Amino acid sequence: MYAKFFGLKHEPFSIAPDPRYLFMSDRHREALAHLLYGVGGGGGFVLLTGEIGAGKTTVCRCFLEQIPRRCNVAYIFNPKLTVQELLKSVCDEFRIPYQHQGPGVETVKDYLDPLNEFLLKTHSVGQNNVLIIDEAQNLSADVLEQLRLLTNLETTERKLLQIILIGQPELRTMLAQPELEQLAQRVIARFHLDALSEAETAQYIRHRLAVAGLARGKLFDSQAVARVHQLSRGIPRRINLLCDRALLGAYAEGKGRVDSDIIEKAASEVFDITRVLAPPREPAGRMPAWGWGLVASTTVLGVAGMASVAWLQHRANPAAEPVVVAKAAPAPVVAPRSVAQVVAAASPVAAAAPPSAPIVVAEPVLKASAEIASLFSSKQGSERKAWLELAPLWKLTLAEGDPCAQAQQNQVHCFRSSRGLGLIRQLDRPGIVTLNDENGRATYALLTALNNDRATLSMGGVSRTVPLATLLKLWRGDFATFWRAPPGYLQSLVDGNAGPLVDNLATRLAIAQGEPVTADKRTYDAALKAKVAAFQQAHGLRPDGVAGPTTFMQLNRVTGVDEPRLRAGG
């Protein structure tokens, strides 16, 4: 409701899990590194703890997007279960069939035996298995003991099940109890996710405003940012709640900038706290703090329409993480190369195959292949046809010949990557994905829309929306797209470069950071490289200080360069 007032395209501090707003601080990156280390650490437990809203789910979802391909994942997000319910949930997540043996009621053995058989069989074909339990502080002592027993299954080289426990700080206290000492000794990596520092809080606020479309200037003065950090304690979710309410308050008062006084008022409403100092006397014509709710309600009911519903919902449900990468659906197998390999892998012989053989694949993959096949019918999409179908979205007209060479004449470059879904969400642009058709041949389709659980693919003007899990089973992460390069761009900038391209980079970085733009001639020196690295870190890129395609793509998005975006519908 206030976005247009501040010159924004979106409301920047929604607590909805929008991947466009992904912000990975050094702490989040280190936490992610611990999880990735744990997967290859030979089994046992990995522990990730953090305050409510600190970004644990953000890290977990990033981890799921980077998990090795020969790794089966089971994700339990509601751990308030009995031992039997937990084992049943684990079997369901790994898609392990089970049935009750003998008379009487079901027992733990009905689930434990097929689970053990699954772990041994998948290990024999070179797969790892990971069990992730979120909100693990809610696990009971007997369930924790059963989890410890699950890690007893091992070979001479490694344990067959890796368990990742994610929870609030009290999880550490639980595992410090004497009766859980055996489990605590099996923790091979642990990390506590601290809150953002004051500098990171400022960077986080700038990042979200830039993604929302703020071209220049600052909406929060320095004192307001410092107070946001103090009141939010550096917790991203609390930062979002407070900044969103502060922008609404500034809008209600007709102010174009948020100061510390507005932050205080917003905090008293969002966090239900009493200001330490008495509020200053209100100047004539200025709306008192108590009037915010009335103006907001009137605006919502009278002007915002459907926006009012979203606003009320997010005020009433502050449970979601502020910035997240959508969770990849748990998949028990790696994508096969073709349907023929799926059928071959499903045979009894495949279970005894060496690690290089195709992996045992269940019925869902066959169904996934059929869903993709229904999109393409008898057609096989070539890579060139896919580029030609992508070109109109970039207002390009391509003739015969190399599509990339023709596009470059219009200062549009081709970009290719195999880094998968995580990078696609960061770059937020339609592109070409490489799939495998029923004959094992490479098939190229456009990815045009994406949300947390659905993807829309297009070929030859025919589109189909499929579950994201379907796409992930038949796609190895290859992605190609166009991007608009600045004038004079030929390759990544490195130390010592100078000229118009470097000046252009410095100007766009200043706009992105809300800093003054100067006409000074610049050299790609240590200072400019540091600014590039800081921008890269804030936008989820590797902070190497090298200004290459992905850095310019993110700059394009932040500074409003006209490039197509992925639709969110999916």
Side-chain angles (χ1 to χ4, degrees), residues 375-377 379-382 384-390 443-448 457-464:
L375 166 62
F376 306 133
S377 288
K379 302 177 182 178
Q380 182 190 3
S382 70
R384 186 175 186 281
K385 289 180 180 177
W387 283 113
L388 292 177
E389 191 170 349
L390 178 62
T443 302
Y444 302 89
L446 286 191
L447 176 67
T448 58
L457 301 173
S458 174
M459 179 182 291
V462 179
S463 294
R464 292 287 187 277

Side-chain angles (χ1 to χ4, degrees), residues 130-147:
V130 176
L131 170 61
I132 301 173
I133 301 181
D134 208 349
E135 302 294 343
Q137 74 279 354
N138 293 319
L139 292 169
S140 62
D142 56 339
V143 171
L144 283 168
E145 176 60 16
Q146 179 61 64
L147 289 173

Side-chain angles (χ1 to χ4, degrees), residues 70-72 118-119 121-129 332-334 359-360:
R70 297 182 69 85
C71 190
N72 307 321
F118 170 82
L119 294 176
K121 183 180 294 185
T122 51
H123 173 71
S124 71
V125 294
Q127 295 183 52
N128 295 334
N129 297 287
V333 290
V334 172
I359 299 167
V360 179

Side-chain angles (χ1 to χ4, degrees), residues 285-420:
R286 178 172 165 181
M287 182 171 296
W290 56 263
W292 285 13
L294 177 59
V295 169
S297 299
T298 303
T299 304
V300 168
L301 295 176
V303 179
M306 291 183 66
S308 66
V309 178
W311 181 73
L312 292 171
Q313 285 177 338
H314 102 246
R315 285 293 308 274
N317 179 24
E321 290 288 352
V323 280
V324 300
V325 177
K327 183 188 78 174
V333 290
V334 172
R337 291 184 178 274
S338 67
V339 173
Q341 287 182 326
V342 175
V343 176
S347 69
V349 177
S356 59
I359 299 167
V360 179
V361 181
E363 181 181 352
V365 177
L366 290 170
K367 181 180 179 182
S369 180
E371 290 176 2
I372 295 291
S374 70
L375 166 62
F376 306 133
S377 288
S378 60
K379 302 177 182 178
Q380 182 190 3
S382 70
E383 184 177 12
R384 186 175 186 281
K385 289 180 180 177
W387 283 113
L388 292 177
E389 191 170 349
L390 178 62
L393 299 179
W394 291 79
K395 301 180 177 64
L396 294 173
T397 302
L398 302 181
E400 294 297 326
D402 183 357
C404 293
Q406 294 180 61
Q408 194 164 337
Q409 296 174 4
N410 295 283
Q411 207 60 39
V412 175
H413 290 227
C414 290
F415 172 80
R416 291 181 173 86
S417 172
S418 58
R419 287 170 54 190

Side-chain angles (χ1 to χ4, degrees), residues 39 103 120 195 258 313 449 470 476 531 567:
V39 173
L120 287 169
V258 175
Q313 285 177 338
T470 296
R476 298 187 182 88
K531 285 191 174 184
R567 300 197 311 273

Side-chain angles (χ1 to χ4, degrees), residues 231 242 263-275 289:
L231 292 166
L242 181 55
I263 294 295
E264 296 287 353
K265 296 174 185 177
S268 67
E269 296 188 10
V270 173
F271 301 144
D272 194 24
I273 61 174
T274 303
R275 297 178 63 188

Side-chain angles (χ1 to χ4, degrees), residues 62-83:
C62 288
F63 165 71
L64 286 169
E65 299 224 352
Q66 298 185 34
I67 202 165
R69 291 173 184 165
R70 297 182 69 85
C71 190
N72 307 321
V73 178
Y75 190 97
I76 306 295
F77 58 87
N78 177 21
K80 287 189 175 181
L81 305 168
T82 65
V83 169

Side-chain angles (χ1 to χ4, degrees), residues 183-264:
L183 188 153
Q185 289 180 359
R186 299 191 182 189
V187 176
I188 63 172
R190 62 180 72 212
F191 188 85
H192 182 72
L193 188 59
D194 290 321
L196 301 178
S197 67
E198 184 172 340
E200 288 170 333
T201 297
Q203 194 175 33
Y204 176 82
I205 293 172
R206 287 198 304 269
H207 165 71
R208 292 190 73 97
L209 288 171
V211 173
L214 182 65
R216 62 184 65 204
K218 295 181 179 180
L219 290 187
F220 291 73
D221 65 31
S222 56
Q223 291 182 337
V225 171
R227 193 60 179 138
V228 167
H229 176 73
Q230 293 171 352
L231 292 166
S232 68
R233 305 193 301 274
I235 302 296
R237 188 183 301 154
R238 290 172 62 89
I239 295 172
N240 280 4
L241 290 169
L242 181 55
C243 288
D244 179 69
R245 195 69 180 91
L247 285 175
L248 182 61
Y251 167 69
E253 294 191 6
K255 288 186 172 182
R257 199 173 192 186
V258 175
D259 55 27
S260 57
D261 187 55
I262 291 177
I263 294 295
E264 296 287 353

